[in-house]
Amino acid sequence: MFQRMSLAAGVLLLSASAGASTLQQAPATQTRREPQFENENVRVWKSIILPNQPLALHRHEFGRTIVTLRGGSLDVVDGSGKTMKTVVWETGRAYWLDRDPPGEMHGDLNRGTSPIEVIVVEMRR
């Protein structure tokens, strides 16, 4: 009897664990930034850019490192949606981006078919 209860408890635990894992790995439903860490020296966030869902217009006052978790081709667009440049980020690679020119705003648009995910480490000085 004890063995059956232990087996049932084990199956229940595995089922709950599998369900939690599925919830954690659910695909993103919208383009977004997820804050990770911040102090007086650095700000870190994860950007998830879904196909045809651009990040809103913004600018970067400081240089930053991009660490690509899921790569792809990304269009950097101006306020009218015109492509200013296209960058290709390879999964597993890191890239340096300088601060944006004064007064210049941009959005990031993924025209591909899969989400792009990056960790951004932005210096604060």
Side-chain angles (χ1 to χ4, degrees):
M1 180 71 164
F2 179 73
Q3 288 178 332
R4 284 187 197 158
M5 287 176 51
S6 294
L7 179 60
V11 168
L12 185 59
L13 182 61
L14 282 173
S15 297
S17 175
S21 176
T22 301
L23 287 176
Q24 291 174 352
Q25 295 176 4
T29 57
Q30 69 183 62
T31 290
R32 66 187 181 280
R33 283 184 174 178
E34 297 176 348
Q36 303 289 310
F37 174 80
E38 184 171 352
N39 66 21
E40 66 278 356
N41 298 308
V42 68
R43 187 167 58 144
V44 181
W45 67 88
K46 180 179 183 179
S47 287
I48 301 169
I49 309 161
L50 297 183
N52 301 308
Q53 287 188 19
L55 278 173
L57 286 177
H58 61 280
R59 60 174 287 102
H60 300 276
E61 296 292 335
F62 302 101
R64 61 217 180 272
T65 298
I66 305 292
V67 180
T68 311
L69 304 175
R70 287 180 73 181
S73 179
L74 189 74
D75 286 351
V76 179
V77 299
D78 65 15
S80 68
K82 179 182 173 193
T83 299
M84 299 170 6
K85 67 180 174 180
T86 299
V87 294
V88 177
W89 290 334
E90 294 180 39
T91 299
R93 302 276 319 259
Y95 302 89
W96 173 257
L97 300 173
D98 287 324
R99 66 183 291 240
D100 291 337
E104 182 179 287
M105 301 281 286
H106 72 274
D108 300 314
L109 178 59
N110 173 3
R111 297 187 198 269
T113 58
S114 298
I116 294 173
E117 295 183 25
V118 297
I119 296 290
V120 180
V121 182
E122 183 173 68
M123 307 311 295
R124 298 200 97 172
R125 300 176 192 216

